[in-house]
Amino acid sequence: MGLSIVQVDAFTNSPFAGNPAAVCLLSEPREDAWMLNVAREMNLSETAFLLPEGDGFRLRWFTPTVEMDLCGHATLASAHVLWTEGHLPLETEACFQTRSGLLTARCQGDWIELNFPATLSTPISTPAGLSEALGTSIQQVSQNSLGYLVEVESEAIVRQLDPDFAQLKTFPVHGIIVTSRANPPYDFVSRFFAPAIGIPEDPVTGSAHCCLAPYWIDRLQKTEFLAYQASPRGGILKVRYRDQKDSQRDRVFLAGQAVTVLRGELIEGKA
């Protein structure tokens, strides 16, 4: 008998928008090579693997080329699958043990809110060739564990970017977030490019918003945002930042919607 695999569009309430992720619920541990092969077969930006563990689940994320430390949209998709496929009651919080520590998700009506660690960025000088690779002038560059965070002058520039992916792939980072202030109703917009890990452009990136929330606090003088990731598929996120003075790490709460678009059976194969 095969394994159930579900494809979900995350950070949207409409099929064929947002960011697609595959979610596979395991009954026993699997080898890394096998999970990477499944991710390659699915050929989505992320495939999530869930394994029951204690009162929650062990959650791992794979792109078609590497395992990731953090992925927002595939976590959102995983919580959606647990509730809609009958693995968890709607009123029960989903708890995930991950490479980034404990992550949780709560169902709030039509929205799912994720509790993630914040990722702070440090300003750096603009790397040589980055402006040319993006095809636009740059106002400021910061660096974080995800890669470069680039601010440009306007929302129109973010939406119209047509970068040179071959050039972007040469920079020594996993990804490049490009952002600007936005016109109402949104507070800021962004796009995320990661050709170095096999994702030319990620449609909607939860982990990028763990960087964007603390970045925009001082600039916009607020801690709650409505954000739009302006990829061709597009996606909407409610973002709020909490400064935990009694904790070693601040938190970002990401809320989004999700819709199931495909259910299938994964015929088991060897790694």
Side-chain angles (χ1 to χ4, degrees):
M1 182 175 178
L3 295 169
S4 172
I5 193 160
V6 181
Q7 186 167 318
V8 174
D9 287 342
F11 293 116
T12 180
N13 61 359
S14 301
F16 317 124
N19 200 352
V23 180
C24 183
L25 188 62
L26 304 174
S27 58
E28 60 184 10
R30 292 301 184 112
E31 294 181 359
D32 292 3
W34 180 87
M35 289 187 282
L36 183 57
N37 278 341
V38 172
R40 287 173 178 156
E41 188 73 14
M42 297 307 298
N43 199 30
L44 301 171
S45 59
E46 307 283 346
T47 297
F49 296 89
L50 289 168
L51 179 67
E53 183 177 289
D55 294 332
F57 297 85
R58 173 65 53 179
L59 173 59
R60 298 175 69 180
W61 311 278
F62 286 80
T63 78
T65 58
V66 297
E67 182 174 5
M68 297 298 293
D69 291 334
L70 186 67
C71 178
H73 85 278
T75 305
L76 186 81
S78 296
H80 171 80
V81 167
L82 289 176
W83 290 317
T84 59
E85 301 293 317
H87 301 291
L88 274 183
L90 283 174
E91 64 273 12
T92 300
E93 183 177 64
C95 298
F96 304 110
Q97 295 292 341
T98 76
R99 279 185 167 190
S100 294
L102 175 65
L103 307 178
T104 60
R106 295 185 301 156
C107 184
Q108 299 181 323
D110 293 335
W111 292 74
I112 297 170
E113 184 179 72
L114 309 175
N115 181 343
F116 271 31
T119 302
L120 303 182
S121 305
T122 302
I124 62 171
S125 299
T126 301
L130 183 58
S131 179
E132 291 77 10
L134 289 172
T136 186
S137 59
I138 291 172
Q139 289 195 313
Q140 182 172 318
V141 181
S142 300
Q143 189 162 5
N144 52 59
S145 58
L146 197 62
Y148 298 142
L149 174 54
V150 178
E151 184 181 352
V152 297
E153 185 177 0
S154 70
E155 177 179 349
I157 290 174
V158 174
R159 290 177 177 272
Q160 294 166 12
L161 280 177
D162 184 18
D164 184 327
F165 293 114
Q167 278 190 271
L168 288 186
K169 193 174 183 178
T170 65
F171 291 94
V173 292
H174 278 175
I176 298 169
I177 307 164
V178 183
T179 187
S180 76
R181 296 172 188 257
N183 298 315
Y186 304 111
D187 294 296
F188 61 82
V189 294
S190 67
R191 290 172 70 184
F192 182 68
F193 307 106
I197 57 172
I199 307 169
E201 179 169 6
D202 196 38
V204 193
T205 317
S207 56
H209 287 78
C210 294
C211 312
L212 288 161
Y215 181 82
W216 283 110
I217 282 176
D218 292 336
R219 290 161 177 80
L220 297 178
Q221 294 297 303
K222 60 194 302 184
T223 58
E224 295 189 15
F225 312 93
L226 185 64
Y228 184 72
Q229 191 155 334
S231 68
R233 290 176 65 102
I236 299 171
L237 305 91
K238 295 178 182 178
V239 184
R240 60 187 179 96
Y241 181 86
R242 188 171 74 191
D243 181 1
Q244 296 194 164
K245 299 184 184 301
D246 59 346
S247 171
Q248 292 185 339
R249 191 146 192 200
D250 299 345
R251 309 297 294 183
V252 173
F253 295 84
L254 306 173
Q257 296 173 287
V259 57
T260 298
V261 295
L262 183 150
R263 293 183 184 91
E265 183 180 80
L266 179 66
I267 305 302
E268 300 198 44
K270 301 296 183 181

